[in-house]
Amino acid sequence: MKDKKRTRNIVVVMTLLGFVFLIGIWYLISGILISQGNYGLPYPHDTVATLCYLLFGKPGKGTWGAIGWTLLRTFIGWAISFVLAGIFGVLAGLFESVKAFMKPLVAFQRTIPTVAVVLLLFSIILGSGKHAWLNWAPIVLVIFVIFPLLYESFRAGVTNVDPGIINSLRIEGGVRKTNAITKVLIPEAWPYVRSGIAQTLGLALKTCIMSEVLTASSATKSGIGTLIATARVVDPDGGIANIPAYAILALLLMIIIDIPILIWKKPKEKN
């Protein structure tokens, strides 16, 4: 018990030291750049002050609206990915033919550069003349990136269900019946699915913000990525001092999303 407590204390101390080291490196790099007349990376305390102004000062309404749009796009894309991955992942775990059918698609999604997909979507939407569709392009990209990960979580979970449970289901009437899937297989596969959820929510947010940066235009509802892309224009001095503040804002959102997932996951692991 004492060893566990000591180990936990060491982990906490080392985490704090790592955070202090990171801030120290930031101060060092900022100091070097600023001494050379480059103000692209302000000091951490200046970044925090800028973030507070962007959230609670004159631009606050636009910033909070951008947060709302980014979170909306992220969760819509993630939810669609989860539903589709659940359907096809379970089927792939039960049927080798479905697994073989899905294999090229999943491999394609995993290997193609994400930026290429964004630029292709951007070109298609601009070519159609319906620029308002750019509002939903980040959702498509989130689905493209997240679906393979959640699909593998469902498929692996079903594939690795205890053979004894599978044999019992066969004796009682079949593994592929609806009741067997919803009441036995999916609950048994849930540890894999839970792990997939924990891995993909933060990634979905990062993917959405990246897509917003690349598809930013006057026709889109501003998300955090849009604010990052237009920071130089918005800043009356023509600088990019707001970008680190928006980056910190994105980081805080990812922490806010991840912490409940980690808390939810921890007691499950103990059980």
Side-chain angles (χ1 to χ4, degrees), residues 45-197:
H45 62 273
D46 291 330
T47 300
V48 172
T50 301
L51 177 59
C52 291
Y53 172 70
L54 293 173
L55 287 173
F56 307 110
K58 188 176 179 180
K61 185 177 179 180
T63 304
W64 287 105
I67 292 172
W69 271 102
T70 295
L71 291 178
L72 177 65
R73 291 166 178 146
T74 297
F75 285 116
I76 289 176
W78 185 89
I80 293 173
S81 300
F82 185 82
V83 172
L84 293 177
I87 294 171
F88 290 103
V90 170
L91 290 175
L94 293 173
F95 300 95
E96 283 295 324
S97 56
V98 176
K99 178 182 175 182
F101 176 81
M102 293 297 297
K103 190 172 182 179
L105 174 63
V106 173
F108 174 76
Q109 288 181 267
R110 283 187 161 185
T111 54
I112 190 170
T114 305
V115 174
V117 178
V118 178
L119 296 178
L120 181 61
L121 279 173
F122 191 75
S123 300
I124 292 172
I125 292 172
L126 291 182
S128 69
K130 298 181 179 180
H131 295 191
W133 287 5
L134 288 172
N135 284 315
W136 311 113
I139 295 176
V140 176
L141 189 68
V142 169
I143 295 171
F144 192 89
V145 172
I146 300 303
F147 171 79
L149 302 176
L150 289 174
Y151 163 82
E152 285 297 338
S153 297
F154 276 99
R155 187 199 62 77
V158 172
T159 301
N160 288 285
V161 171
D162 189 280
I165 294 175
I166 299 295
N167 291 332
S168 298
L169 290 174
R170 285 173 178 162
I171 293 172
E172 293 177 7
V175 179
R176 298 168 181 175
K177 288 188 175 181
T178 303
N179 285 342
I181 293 173
T182 58
K183 295 182 179 180
V184 180
L185 293 183
I186 292 180
E188 287 294 322
W190 192 247
Y192 290 86
V193 178
R194 187 171 63 243
S195 177
I197 292 172

Side-chain angles (χ1 to χ4, degrees), residues 202-260:
L203 178 60
L205 180 61
K206 287 191 289 185
T207 302
C208 182
I209 292 174
M210 182 193 71
S211 180
E212 289 174 344
V213 170
L214 294 174
T215 59
S217 78
S218 59
T220 59
K221 298 290 185 181
S222 293
I224 296 174
T226 314
L227 296 181
I228 292 173
T230 58
R232 182 184 292 275
V233 178
V234 173
D235 187 350
D237 296 325
I240 55 174
N242 288 350
I243 292 180
Y246 289 132
I248 294 297
L249 176 59
L251 176 62
L252 291 175
L253 287 178
M254 279 184 272
I255 292 173
I256 291 171
I257 290 173
D258 284 342
I259 285 178

